[in-house]
Amino acid sequence: MNRLQFVADHQRRYGVKRLCSILGVARSSFYYWCRTAAARAARQAADARLAARIRAVHFESDGTYGVPRIAAELREGASASTTSGSRVTRSINLAGVRLRRRHRTTIPDPATAKAPDLIGRDFTASEPNTKYVGDITYLPLDGAKFLYLATVIDLASRRLAGWAIGDHMRTVLVTEALAAAERARGSLTGAVMHTDHGAQYTSRAFADACRRAGVRQSMSAIGSSADNALAESFNATFKRETLQGRKSWSSEREARLDAFRWLHRYNTRRRHSRLGQRSPIAYETESGTTSTTLSPAA
């Protein structure tokens, strides 16, 4: 308890002089504290209102804003000074979400040949099984470990035609995803396969796999995520809807099960706004495209 408050609470019984002497408080300090009580109470009330506003800003940002952005929000709303906003924010122990360092999955190999860009940021197709995009994304596990998911997505129906998951990023991961798409479609002859410049996609093994499947390779500009934006968007949706705010999966088994359930649901049940709120397979069925069940790589 504050010593000055103690003196105030017990002064009638013991006297101010005696209490201040025992507690080592100057009587002048006590009397000043009494004179400023009203102003102090007003400041505390203002801080309480400000704390409520700060909590609201923090909640509205989904817990992502820290001191600098909360202070900027308060300045814009003329709710408080930067100093008081920062002080109260720290006093109620609020902090923003920090972006984790991105785990890099696209590692170019400068020594390999590059394919031309046959897509040109046109992520549409007039009919299924003509244009695809491929990508690799990471699945974070507890203990700073990762699984990796390679995908092959149809640009007409947004169907996940093939995918493979593993604990590595070797070229075999993307060739397995391509093989899964070939099994699902029956044939990929004449289709375009668009990817980034990751070493897996510029490898001789992947080029050979595309050639055997009758696929024409297409590659985005180096360092431009916009040139493979559809795959990037798919990856973001997948992780947002499977992790649901968590930072990682607790185990490899949990990650694989969640991935399989979501990827199957994506193709068969998840409604897509671009497809008139139909799932990819429903869209293909109604458009008369014959196809088999999704066949992931083992």
Side-chain angles (χ1 to χ4, degrees), residues 54-77:
I54 288 170
R55 288 192 177 94
V57 170
H58 192 256
F59 178 80
E60 289 165 6
S61 74
D62 292 329
T64 61
Y65 280 8
V67 171
R69 287 175 176 164
I70 288 177
E73 188 81 11
L74 295 175
R75 280 199 304 272
E76 184 173 323

Side-chain angles (χ1 to χ4, degrees), residues 248-263:
S248 61
W249 282 276
S250 61
S251 66
E252 179 177 329
R253 180 177 184 275
E254 181 189 33
R256 286 179 180 272
L257 287 174
D258 278 359
F260 182 84
R261 282 193 291 262
W262 189 90
L263 296 172

